[in-house]
Amino acid sequence: MAYLRTLPPTVPNHPRQTLAKLAAILGLCGIGAALPLLTSEGQVSSMRPVAPSLAQLATPPELRLPVSLANGTDIEPPRGQSGYSQLTIANGNDVDAVAKLVDAASGQTLRVVYVQAHKTVVLENLGAGTRLLKFALGTDWDAQQQQFRRLRTVLAFSEPLEFVVQRDDTSEYWKTYEVTLHPVLHGQAQTEPIPEDEF
């Protein structure tokens, strides 16, 4: 069985209504000067636009891509004694990282390196000593403030890294480490959040 629906007849707009709608639309768009408007009594009125020109309309905020340094960039010049130790840093996170290697005895910063998301950096020529490893995670690097602008998290490895040299009658053996800045299954190293002023 078919159904037939009857629609009500359309009523053409009154000229005054059409002019009023047009003036309202143009006024909200901020186009043109004051427009004449006929009232229901037939008197001429005027309608001021929201903005007298398009130049005065609000402009959208400037869009830009987040800043990311090249993988392995030294944020600060390397310091401290050199040697043959190595530290491999893997960042499996979806955000970039800055890793900082600090001498535990003096508190001197030895290396500060940029590690992009899902990238690995190898720090070479490290001397012997006890080191603290801190790192910051985030996006959009601010070179002047030396920190990430967004999604910033600051952590440190709970245990220091002992870069020691072992010697026998003929050779020297330098300690190397491999660390990940992301959680891994059966991982032994623990990290903990630290205040930003301690980074």
Side-chain angles (χ1 to χ4, degrees), residues 67-69 75 98 114 139-143 146-149:
V67 175
S68 180
L69 301 182
I75 307 284
V98 170
Y114 198 93
T139 61
D140 201 9
W141 180 252
D142 187 333
Q146 295 289 290
Q147 65 182 14
F148 291 108
R149 293 186 177 93

Side-chain angles (χ1 to χ4, degrees), residues 12-63:
N13 287 331
H14 192 277
R16 293 195 185 101
Q17 296 174 342
T18 303
L19 183 58
K21 290 180 180 179
L22 178 61
I25 293 173
L26 294 178
L28 290 176
C29 294
I31 300 176
L35 297 175
L37 179 63
L38 291 178
T39 66
S40 59
E41 292 80 13
Q43 297 176 348
V44 177
S45 180
S46 63
M47 183 175 185
R48 302 296 302 180
V50 175
S53 68
L54 290 176
Q56 295 183 11
L57 294 176
T59 56
E62 181 182 357
L63 301 178

Side-chain angles (χ1 to χ4, degrees), residues 23 50 68 108 114 151 156 163 174 176:
V50 175
S68 180
Q108 181 186 32
Y114 198 93
L151 306 177
F163 290 96
W174 291 77
T176 62

